[in-house]
Amino acid sequence: MTWLITKYAITAALVVLVSEVAKRSDKLGALIAALPMVTVLAMVWLYVEQQPDEKISNHAWYTFWYVLPTLPMFLVFPFLMSRFGFWPSLGISALLTMACFGLLALAVKRFGIVLL
């Protein structure tokens, strides 16, 4: 149980760090958020918990493919927010991300990469 609480605390601290830095500097906050800290931390947790190498490798592989459809959201969200406000823009961006994910899954399936 102590290990699980430690994992929660460290992971939560990273999210708080990003939000606190972003309050002071847009660029630095975005840079820290863009770093794959959560993914790397997840891979460290998997390794420390003696998960098979294949599971850790698969985590990195699928993370790559799942990040791609989120990228358009970061371009569209600022445009939408200035017109519709935060919550509608977030909702539209989430729908866009889901659509991009579906399209990517269909596109890469032709190459033997199964994301769904």
Side-chain angles (χ1 to χ4, degrees):
M1 185 61 148
T2 301
W3 175 242
L4 185 60
I5 292 170
T6 301
K7 286 178 17 178
Y8 275 126
I10 292 171
T11 305
L14 285 173
V15 173
V16 171
L17 172 70
V18 169
S19 68
E20 290 301 312
V21 170
K23 287 180 191 177
R24 290 160 182 77
S25 170
D26 297 336
K27 291 179 185 176
L28 186 57
L31 173 63
I32 294 170
L35 297 172
M37 291 184 296
V38 172
T39 300
V40 170
L41 197 53
M43 290 189 299
V44 168
W45 297 149
L46 289 169
Y47 179 78
V48 168
E49 294 169 353
Q50 300 177 348
Q51 293 298 308
D53 291 349
E54 182 180 7
K55 180 168 279 300
I56 299 168
S57 295
N58 283 342
H59 182 77
W61 169 259
Y62 286 113
T63 298
F64 169 80
W65 290 108
Y66 294 154
V67 163
L68 291 177
T70 68
L71 296 177
M73 178 193 84
F74 295 108
L75 293 174
V76 172
F77 181 80
F79 172 80
L80 294 172
M81 190 159 156
S82 64
R83 284 152 185 78
F84 303 110
F86 180 79
W87 293 112
S89 299
L90 193 60
I92 294 166
S93 295
L95 292 172
L96 172 67
T97 299
M98 288 186 277
C100 288
F101 180 78
L103 292 171
L104 179 69
L106 287 174
V108 300
K109 188 175 183 181
R110 298 166 50 201
F111 301 100
I113 300 169
V114 180
L115 299 179
L116 295 174

